[in-house]
Every structure is written in C-alpha cells, then in structure tokens.
Amino acid sequence: KCYLKAIEVFEFSPAMELISEQSMIFPCFHSLFRLIREGELESDFSFERALTARFLQETKESNSYHHACALAMNAGMKFRSGLHCEALEEFAKMKKIYKSVEDSEAIREACGMDVCALAYARCALWYMEMGDEDNAVKQCEFVIRMLDNLQITDTKEMHAILTPTIAILGEKQTYRVNKLYEDRVVKLVCGSVPLFVRNARIVLAMNNDLNGMEDEVDWVLSRDNTELRTADQFYTSLGLSANTTAAEACLVLLQRSGSEEISRTLVLDKGLGFAM
C-alpha cells in the first residue's frame, strides 16, 4: 500500500512536471513487481497489466535499464493477453536497450533478479507455444551463452532463468541439462539446499540413470519438502511448476528405488499430494 500510495502521490502531484529526476519513483514499481513475483502481494491480471502500463509510461523518456525492465514486463503481459507478435515486438525493443554485462547487476539490485535476462528465457517458451521449436531451441542456446555475462550468485535466480531451458531441452538433452544444472545452480548453493533445487536434482539425475539419489526417499517424505502455494505461480509461468517437479521426484524414486513397501506407499501419497 505504501508503494502504491507513493506512486499515486508522485503522479498526481502538482509539482510533478517540475521534478527533474523522474527515476526517484522507479524503485516503488520494482518493489511491487518483486512482491508479486514472490507471492507476497496478491494481485490479478488487471492489476498487473495496469501497473506495467504505468511503469512503461514513467520510464518512456529514459533509455536506461529501468525502461528495459518495463519493456520486458510489458512483453510478458502482451503474451499473456494472446498478443504474441506484439510481445515479440516489445521484447525486440528491450533487446536494443538491455546490455547484460553493464545492466545485470543494477537490475538485480533493483528487482531482486535480472528480469531482462528472465525475459530472454521466457521468450523461448513463447516460441514453443507458437509452434516454433527451432527458434525456441536457439533462444535456449543464447540464454546458456549469456550466463557468464550475468555474474549470478543467487541459486534462486539461476534456477529461474534456467527453468525454461530445462523445460524445453530436458527430454532430448538429458545429460547436458543435468550437467548444466549441477554446474550453474547446485554449485551456487550455500547452506541448506532449497526444496525446488533438491527436487529438480532428483528428477534430472534419475532421468540420466545416475546413482546416488535412491537415498533421497527420506528427504522426499520429510516435512521440509512442502508444497509451494502462491510462489509456484512464478515457476509455473517459466514452464515448470515446482510442485509438479516435486511430484515427478516422487515418481522417479518410486520407479527406481528398492525401498520397502511402506515407504513406497508414503512416497506415492506424497507425490499425489503435490500433483493435486
């Protein structure tokens, strides 16, 4: 409410035209989008579309990464509205402004993660939905090549950016995708492994017939392995629901594990809970 009130005061202030530094209001937009992404602010499509339009309007005179972020978000809104060609046009505008080496860290500081890099990843999903698998694969390859420029140190951000690539390339390039995930995501983990990372590791490793994951049954059944609720909307938008991945982790363990019958029943029940 404070962020929304600040935007309202700024936009309707009689002195707004006299303010030379318009970017002072940009952090409020970035913060609101971050809260929506993380499931901490309940919103609907109309609210997000209106917020995106306002952010685009405020940044249109700026040729900075702020406007690139607004274009990235607007491209996403266009695609969700069924305006696929317009979404790609907005994405093309973003590409002309966004420079991964120069802008990524600043965007991360403002938004919590590089939403422009995320737009590159999402674009691969858009091509797939449009039936253009060749361009979808090319987009995935571009994202992989871009990773070094991003200097990402956060496990959650790297997992998010790679999720569309996993969804698209995972079935046909299982070994490569598993190694990519281990090298780019798992190695960033400090402390306890996030549940969505642990479940993804189980699925990717077991799909490659790698040993050592059978003992993950205890983890799968633990209270730490819980369902993501509102936050899973974000991962679903990236092509791979975290809850679906958790259910699949249960499935592959059932298929490969030699656990006792009671454990198999518990794993099955846990998987069905994630899938519902």
Side-chain angles (χ1 to χ4, degrees):
K1 290 183 178 180
C2 291
Y3 293 131
L4 288 171
K5 189 64 176 179
I7 293 172
E8 182 180 346
V9 169
F10 180 84
E11 290 183 344
F12 293 101
S13 170
M16 190 184 76
E17 295 182 0
L18 302 177
I19 299 175
S20 59
E21 188 52 64
Q22 299 288 316
S23 63
M24 64 184 297
I25 199 63
F26 296 168
C28 292
F29 286 100
H30 288 306
S31 296
L32 285 168
F33 284 118
R34 182 175 185 173
L35 290 172
I36 292 171
R37 183 179 68 239
E38 296 178 352
E40 296 180 18
L41 175 63
E42 291 187 14
S43 65
D44 56 24
F45 182 73
S46 297
F47 174 79
E48 292 180 43
R49 183 169 55 187
L51 187 64
T52 301
R54 292 169 76 177
F55 189 32
L56 197 64
Q57 177 68 22
E58 293 294 345
T59 60
K60 69 177 183 179
E61 301 299 329
S62 166
N63 196 38
S64 68
Y65 68 82
H66 295 291
H67 191 51
C69 291
L71 288 167
M73 294 169 186
N74 198 42
M77 297 305 298
K78 293 283 188 183
F79 196 87
R80 288 168 63 186
S81 300
L83 304 172
H84 298 175
C85 291
E86 290 186 25
L88 292 176
E89 289 173 3
E90 292 296 278
F91 177 69
K93 293 176 186 177
M94 184 214 79
K95 288 168 60 177
K96 292 180 180 179
I97 301 173
Y98 172 70
K99 302 292 185 293
S100 58
V101 175
E102 293 88 349
D103 297 334
S104 186
E105 185 175 351
I107 294 174
R108 187 174 301 112
E109 184 175 346
C111 306
M113 67 172 57
D114 188 342
V115 295
C116 291
L118 198 62
Y120 274 96
R122 286 186 194 276
C123 189
L125 291 175
W126 300 347
Y127 281 125
M128 283 296 288
E129 190 167 330
M130 294 168 67
D132 190 348
E133 186 174 353
D134 288 342
N135 270 323
V137 172
K138 289 178 182 178
Q139 193 69 19
C140 289
E141 296 295 345
F142 184 89
V143 170
I144 293 170
R145 291 195 302 272
M146 184 174 64
L147 293 177
D148 286 332
N149 293 342
L150 304 179
Q151 298 295 309
I152 296 173
T153 59
D154 179 66
T155 307
K156 183 177 180 179
E157 180 179 7
M158 185 63 84
H159 172 86
I161 289 175
L162 279 179
T163 293
T165 296
I166 294 170
I168 293 169
L169 302 182
E171 290 188 9
K172 295 182 179 180
Q173 301 184 33
T174 55
Y175 177 80
R176 182 191 181 200
V177 169
N178 180 67
K179 188 175 188 310
L180 181 67
Y181 195 80
E182 290 289 326
D183 292 344
R184 293 290 186 174
V185 179
V186 177
K187 287 184 179 179
L188 291 178
V189 174
C190 293
S192 60
V193 183
L195 63 90
F196 52 84
V197 172
R198 196 157 183 174
N199 284 321
R201 283 195 76 197
I202 293 172
V203 173
L204 293 172
M206 298 294 270
N207 284 343
N208 279 277
D209 295 321
L210 299 179
N211 297 321
M213 288 294 168
E214 290 79 2
D215 58 356
E216 291 288 335
V217 171
D218 288 342
W219 144 253
V220 165
L221 293 175
S222 71
R223 292 182 178 180
D224 293 330
N225 191 23
T226 58
E227 180 183 1
L228 292 178
R229 297 189 182 278
T230 53
D232 194 41
Q233 296 175 10
F234 170 60
Y235 294 110
T236 301
S237 75
L238 297 173
L240 201 59
S241 159
N243 292 330
T244 300
T245 302
E248 189 176 354
C250 294
L251 175 62
V252 295
L253 283 173
L254 279 173
Q255 293 172 336
R256 310 291 176 84
S257 176
S259 301
E260 298 178 0
E261 191 64 30
I262 186 170
S263 294
R264 294 179 63 83
T265 301
L266 292 173
V267 172
L268 177 60
D269 289 344
K270 190 74 176 271
L272 288 173
F274 283 122
M276 294 177 68

